[in-house]
Amino acid sequence: MKPLGFISNQITSALIDLSSIVWFPTPKFDSPSLFTKLLDEDGGEFSILPEGQEIIGVNQEYAYPLVLTTNIRTKEGEINITDLIPLGETVIIRKVESEIPFKVVFKPRFYYSLYKPIIDGSRFVNPRGRDCIAFLYDFSGEVKRFGNYVWEFSNGKGYLIANYASDVKHGIFSERGKALNAIYERSFEKTINYWKSIDVRDVRAFNYLYKTSIYAMLGSIYAPSGGVIAAPTTSLPEVEGGKRNWDYRFAWVRDSSIIAEALLEAGYVVEARRIINFLLSLINFSSKPFYYPLYTIEGTIPPPERQLRWLSGYKDSKPVRIGNGASSQIQLDIEGFFISTLYKYIKITNDQVFLKDVFSKVKYIGDWIAENWSLKDSGIWEDRGSPQHYTHSKIMMWIALDRIGKLASLIGYGDIWSKERERLRNWILTNCVRNNYFIRYCGDTDDVDSSILSAPLYGFIEVNDDIFINTLTKIENDLRTDVFVKRYKTDFMGEAKHPFLLTTVWLARVYIRMGKIEKALEILDKISKVSGKLHLVGEHIDVEKEEFTGNFPQIFVHAQLVIAIKELNDKLTDKNII
């Protein structure tokens, strides 16, 4: 997959392919898209292209966080575009400064391109609803319209606006809209000033990748609730033409916890606590603490998985799905990720008042795991085959019991989970180790799983322990491609073709802890190279094409990159290398 630009206002987001907006769900991250060209060539777009001239070069960069600039060069002159989604609005603003004439295609399609709009001048209305989107402009040059969806602009400068309203009575052309007189130039400048005010400290090694990763995390937070999406897209395929196409526009407990942990490491304590509070609000006392592995960004029950059969898919990768069937699974690792992040928050802030306020929920997690750790589950990779006793899940349940015991001690509550925690640890070492390495799950298998790379990172085992050294060697021999690692060999859908970047970054962190700095540098350098000038990273990597695959950008990969780069820089500083 070629690099795409990502812009967000922490309510919704858009993806930009060169100068074309090809993905725009609205009014929220998880809403139906209005521009869907990303998943179908006729899915609708908002594009800006030179009129009748060959493009000889395109350059993109983030001038400010989540504000994308695009420079298009032709023999006759240049077009400069700055794209953002203003804070608090379901609007895209595109500032254009052009030396040459250019063409705009503004072609919305409602509900993932299923419905063509009713056209009312510059307003496009959903024929199956009351929502609408308008194309507006404030431009210094001449403008002509051709047909329903194409405008031609002379050279000049100004603003092009996509303005969405959930009801025609709310839109810019309504009486209310006319009376309130929206000033988009002001909104544009103040949004830039807001993002400019976010100060990310420089690091010596991989500075741009580090900063962009933080901005990607911040851009994935749904501001009204504190929920955080795993990725802003659906159904970008793990393998082009394949069926591994999933909707990631939900708040996974696991991903959210990993992202909050990285924000804590980077010093964004307030933002991390918002995510932690969101997750705490989801805990129930009638069953498994996190009853679902994922929730909507508003914290509600996730919708069922469906297929959008009218879309051709990204490069003919079908099916296109919305919703995610993993919501029906049992996943036992997620409480461990959450408690680990909560523990880190308390260690950093020493906020014992907060801990006492939420301890009834923390205690319930410990009690439930102590009673239910013997269950089977679908694991971190959400395998849709038969549930197993996944080693990684058991390890993360142990992590939860370990951290809960420590949190209890901080506020004078006894560690009542120590005996069950020891039973669980002994069970893991007895049933999940074969030939002196960790196997993927307790059962009839000799396979290894790269999720076990997280075991020393979360404190279950030391990196120099013989069992882990043997596990690492097995992973390197069986799952490594170039410097990257796959999750596993096969699953319910067959071969795992491409390496997975989350576990690859875990591998880099393991190497840092082992003092194998050159190996860690090699991994991070190759990821940085493939990420290009925008420094955005996907879920998988096609090693031969040197391209990312899967949903994009993948936020928990960015989260782990932040931690890995910070640990690397700390190590290099200690060794006086930088």
Side-chain angles (χ1 to χ4, degrees):
M1 181 177 63
K2 54 189 174 182
L4 299 167
F6 167 66
I7 57 175
S8 167
N9 67 349
Q10 298 187 316
I11 295 175
T12 188
S13 63
L15 264 65
I16 302 171
D17 183 2
L18 297 180
S19 59
S20 180
I21 295 171
V22 295
W23 179 251
F24 181 45
T26 191
K28 305 184 279 92
F29 288 116
D30 58 357
S31 297
S33 54
L34 275 166
F35 302 125
T36 315
K37 189 175 181 179
L38 183 65
L39 298 177
D40 191 297
E41 276 299 311
D42 195 36
E45 63 182 307
F46 181 8
S47 64
I48 299 172
L49 292 169
E51 178 61 30
Q53 297 185 42
E54 182 183 356
I55 297 173
I56 60 175
V58 177
N59 183 62
Q60 286 184 310
E61 63 182 7
Y62 284 104
Y64 312 104
L66 300 169
V67 178
L68 185 68
T69 63
T70 303
N71 171 261
I72 301 173
R73 298 185 304 280
T74 73
K75 290 182 179 179
E76 301 299 321
E78 298 183 354
I79 306 174
N80 291 295
I81 307 165
T82 305
D83 288 316
L84 59 77
I85 304 177
L87 299 175
E89 301 182 66
T90 50
V91 172
I92 296 174
I93 304 178
R94 314 193 76 179
K95 183 178 180 180
V96 181
E97 298 175 288
S98 184
E99 300 172 344
I100 57 175
F102 61 92
K103 178 177 72 174
V104 170
V105 176
F106 189 87
K107 188 179 180 182
R109 293 284 189 266
F110 288 89
Y111 196 77
Y112 305 103
S113 190
L114 182 59
Y115 305 126
K116 293 181 179 181
I118 297 170
I119 300 172
D120 178 18
S122 295
R123 184 170 63 177
F124 301 79
V125 182
N126 185 351
R128 296 294 186 95
R130 297 184 59 84
D131 54 327
C132 61
I133 188 167
F135 176 54
L136 312 172
Y137 52 84
D138 180 7
F139 193 72
S140 65
E142 297 179 359
V143 182
K144 295 180 181 180
R145 185 172 183 176
F146 294 86
N148 291 326
Y149 305 114
V150 178
W151 284 257
E152 289 186 359
F153 289 72
S154 68
N155 61 310
K157 60 183 179 180
Y159 296 88
L160 312 183
I161 297 117
N163 181 296
Y164 173 82
S166 59
D167 191 292
V168 291
K169 292 183 179 180
H170 298 164
I172 194 70
F173 297 120
S174 67
E175 291 301 317
R176 179 174 176 273
K178 292 174 183 177
L180 293 176
N181 187 30
I183 303 172
Y184 291 109
E185 181 178 357
R186 179 175 63 197
S187 180
F188 184 90
E189 295 300 331
K190 289 192 175 294
T191 297
I192 285 179
N193 289 338
Y194 173 82
W195 290 119
K196 282 170 64 176
S197 69
I198 296 176
D199 184 33
V200 178
R201 69 177 183 87
D202 289 330
V203 294
R204 295 289 295 276
F206 303 105
N207 187 50
Y208 289 114
L209 184 57
Y210 178 81
K211 286 187 169 183
T212 300
S213 293
I214 291 174
Y215 300 145
M217 288 192 292
L218 295 175
S220 70
I221 297 171
Y222 181 63
S225 70
V228 55
I229 52 170
T233 56
T234 180
S235 299
L236 292 180
E238 295 179 22
V239 180
E240 285 184 14
K243 297 181 179 180
R244 297 174 183 263
N245 317 319
W246 319 108
D247 191 351
Y248 280 7
R249 297 172 299 153
F250 299 99
W252 266 261
V253 175
R254 179 189 307 108
D255 299 51
S256 301
S257 301
I258 290 172
I259 292 161
E261 178 192 15
L263 288 169
L264 287 169
E265 289 283 356
Y268 290 85
V269 176
V270 173
E271 291 80 1
R273 176 162 166 169
R274 291 198 66 219
I275 298 172
I276 291 169
N277 276 329
F278 172 79
L279 294 173
L280 282 164
S281 74
L282 305 176
I283 294 171
N284 80 96
F285 292 113
S286 64
S287 184
K288 187 176 183 292
F290 291 112
Y291 192 77
Y292 301 99
L294 60 139
Y295 295 80
T296 72
I297 53 174
E298 294 168 320
T300 57
I301 296 171
E305 185 174 284
R306 295 178 50 218
Q307 296 184 11
L308 306 184
R309 299 184 185 278
W310 60 90
L311 293 176
S312 62
Y314 179 86
K315 294 190 176 180
D316 295 319
S317 303
K318 294 181 179 181
V320 172
R321 295 180 173 95
I322 57 171
N324 197 296
S327 62
S328 64
Q329 294 179 344
I330 297 173
Q331 296 179 19
L332 296 173
D333 64 309
I334 59 178
E335 283 81 9
F337 279 105
F338 169 70
I339 288 294
S340 179
T341 296
L342 177 63
Y343 178 75
K344 180 164 286 188
Y345 169 80
I346 297 299
K347 292 294 286 184
I348 289 172
T349 64
N350 195 32
D351 191 350
Q352 295 191 25
V353 173
F354 177 71
L355 177 58
K356 289 176 182 177
D357 284 346
V358 304
F359 190 72
S360 62
K361 295 185 175 183
V362 174
K363 179 180 181 299
Y364 179 70
I365 291 174
D367 293 345
W368 190 90
I369 290 175
E371 294 174 5
N372 293 280
W373 62 259
S374 60
L375 292 174
K376 294 181 178 181
D377 78 328
S378 297
I380 184 174
W381 309 132
E382 303 179 336
D383 195 292
R384 298 191 181 193
S386 300
Q388 303 288 348
H389 290 294
Y390 284 103
T391 304
H392 174 263
S393 296
K394 304 300 185 189
I395 288 173
M396 293 309 298
M397 284 191 284
W398 184 92
I399 296 298
L401 294 178
D402 177 70
R403 301 301 190 274
I404 291 169
K406 291 174 179 177
L407 288 170
S409 298
L410 283 175
I411 56 174
Y413 193 96
D415 179 4
I416 61 175
W417 306 274
S418 58
K419 289 184 179 179
E420 203 60 34
R421 185 169 65 241
E422 189 60 27
R423 281 189 64 208
L424 173 54
R425 184 179 185 86
N426 289 336
W427 189 94
I428 293 168
L429 294 175
T430 301
N431 295 279
C432 299
V433 175
R434 185 166 299 160
N435 300 321
N436 210 32
Y437 67 86
F438 288 112
I439 53 177
R440 189 177 178 199
Y441 55 82
C442 169
D444 185 20
T445 183
D446 291 322
D447 287 349
V448 72
D449 189 311
S450 64
S451 63
I452 308 301
L453 292 168
S454 66
L457 305 178
Y458 285 91
F460 180 78
I461 197 168
E462 296 296 326
V463 290
N464 58 1
D465 186 282
D466 285 345
I467 295 175
F468 182 75
I469 292 292
N470 292 334
T471 305
L472 174 61
T473 301
K474 181 75 170 172
I475 290 170
E476 291 172 328
N477 290 340
D478 292 4
L479 302 180
R480 186 167 58 182
T481 302
D482 197 321
V483 301
F484 310 98
V485 289
K486 299 179 180 182
R487 291 175 288 181
Y488 41 71
K489 289 180 179 179
T490 61
D491 63 9
F492 73 104
M493 294 186 75
E495 178 191 5
K497 185 174 181 180
H498 295 313
F500 196 71
L501 288 177
L502 175 70
T503 56
T504 296
V505 181
W506 280 346
L507 178 61
R509 292 184 61 198
V510 166
Y511 286 149
I512 292 167
R513 294 195 176 201
M514 298 177 78
K516 298 180 179 181
I517 303 302
E518 290 300 322
K519 286 190 172 184
L521 281 168
E522 188 178 12
I523 290 172
L524 296 176
D525 187 61
K526 290 201 172 186
I527 292 174
S528 181
K529 178 183 176 183
V530 176
S531 72
K533 290 186 176 181
L534 297 184
H535 301 286
L536 292 170
V537 175
E539 182 181 25
H540 301 257
I541 186 165
D542 184 324
V543 176
E544 292 182 3
K545 293 182 178 179
E546 294 189 337
E547 293 179 353
F548 298 125
T549 70
N551 282 310
F552 182 91
Q554 190 71 30
I555 307 302
F556 69 3
V557 178
H558 279 291
Q560 283 300 304
L561 283 168
V562 166
I563 298 175
I565 291 169
K566 183 177 182 294
E567 290 174 344
L568 175 69
N569 277 272
D570 290 346
K571 184 71 71 172
L572 294 175
T573 300
D574 291 344
K575 291 180 174 290
N576 295 317
I577 296 174
I578 59 173

